Amino acid sequence: NAGVTQTPKFRVLKTGQSMTLLCAQDMNHEYMYWYRQDPGMGLRLIHYSVGEGTTAKGEVPDGYNVSRLKKQNFLLGLESAAPSQTSVYFCASSYPHGGLNTEAFFGQGTRLTVV
Amino acid sequence: GESVGLHLPTLSVQEGDNSIINCAYSNSASDYFIWYKQESGKGPQFIIDIRSNMDKRQGQRVTVLLNKTVKHLSLQIAATQPGDSAVYFCAENIEETEGNNRLAFGKGNQVVVIP
């Protein structure tokens, strides 16, 4: 049982390049999230999904797109990377229990540097 | 590399003493709260949670207190150990629309345990 797995773990991009971050969970969780973490800023929600085929914007969605084609995968795309997107990205998943949300399980993070 | 704890409020505590970490949340309608621990280079890990119908919950060496009147959450760690050195985040569950829940995180508090 791997939990939440993110790939890649590290990446350096040039400004304007595109890339996709992959998140996979093997816990059959309904909800999945993408956060970014910057020094002193805590975790800010980029996009999230409450089920296969659905996505919603979080606090800081600009410059990112997501897709949830399969329940176990949640992809985060950067179409044209900017230095402001240099950050550590975390994926998480959780499951509703009895109609209530429960704790989110996090991946180990992807450190992205845009130069 | 950059520390997620940079510029965060820091609590220095002597090994063996008790630690108290505080958090103010924003939404009076939030019904679920979680404390996470994040060690350097790792993703956040669940510590303890509490629902809004409770004002106190205890785990192993940790206690969470919820004061809904002033929208305040605290985490108490008993007999703090060196392994407790980390950044601690509180999170609140926010229901955007029916069935769309997201976790909103605070900025974090760094705990440094002095041996």
Side-chain angles (χ1 to χ4, degrees):
Chain A
N1 190 337
V4 179
T5 304
Q6 293 181 229
T7 52
K9 289 185 170 48
F10 303 93
R11 185 74 186 268
V12 178
L13 284 181
K14 293 182 179 179
T15 298
Q17 285 186 314
S18 63
M19 79 163 293
T20 300
L21 281 67
L22 171 65
C23 178
Q25 52 94 3
D26 60 3
M27 297 174 282
N28 201 35
H29 285 175
E30 290 293 332
Y31 295 173
M32 295 187 76
Y33 314 82
W34 274 108
Y35 291 89
R36 60 176 288 173
Q37 186 173 39
D38 303 292
M41 296 291 290
L43 288 147
R44 292 183 293 170
L45 184 64
I46 305 171
H47 287 279
Y48 64 109
S49 168
V50 298
E52 181 180 323
T54 71
T55 63
K57 293 181 180 180
E59 303 164 72
V60 289
D62 294 342
Y64 305 94
N65 57 75
V66 287
S67 64
R68 184 96 181 270
L69 298 179
K70 294 182 179 180
K71 186 177 183 179
Q72 64 268 33
N73 295 337
F74 195 30
L75 282 71
L76 177 71
L78 286 73
E79 290 186 348
S80 179
S84 61
Q85 293 177 305
T86 294
S87 188
V88 181
Y89 291 85
F90 286 100
C91 176
S93 70
S94 68
Y95 60 100
H97 181 67
L100 301 174
N101 205 355
T102 58
E103 75 269 23
F105 294 80
F106 282 81
Q108 290 301 297
T110 297
R111 184 174 292 276
L112 175 67
T113 302
V114 183
V115 297
Chain B
E2 290 178 297
S3 166
V4 298
L6 197 63
H7 305 310
L8 291 177
T10 300
L11 173 68
S12 296
V13 59
Q14 203 71 39
E15 182 179 357
D17 287 351
N18 297 335
S19 304
I20 299 176
I21 307 161
N22 296 302
C23 176
Y25 63 93
S26 59
N27 191 333
S28 57
S30 294
D31 59 358
Y32 178 58
F33 305 88
I34 311 172
W35 279 100
Y36 283 91
K37 173 186 179 183
Q38 186 178 27
E39 297 173 279
S40 183
K42 297 184 179 180
Q45 291 179 292
F46 171 86
I47 301 174
I48 192 168
D49 59 2
I50 188 168
R51 299 209 180 269
S52 59
N53 59 353
M54 303 172 70
D55 52 20
K56 180 179 180 179
R57 191 162 188 227
Q58 288 185 290
Q60 190 175 23
R61 280 201 309 118
V62 294
T63 301
V64 55
L65 300 176
L66 175 63
N67 185 331
K68 294 181 286 293
T69 302
V70 296
K71 293 188 286 186
H72 184 266
L73 199 65
S74 68
L75 177 71
Q76 300 177 1
I77 305 174
T80 311
Q81 301 169 0
D84 295 327
S85 292
V87 177
Y88 291 81
F89 293 97
C90 64
E92 60 179 308
N93 183 59
I94 295 176
E95 187 174 14
E96 297 278 23
T97 60
E98 189 174 344
N100 264 29
N101 291 276
R102 65 177 179 89
L103 285 175
F105 284 79
K107 290 189 173 22
N109 288 269
Q110 177 122 45
V111 172
V112 176
V113 180
I114 304 164

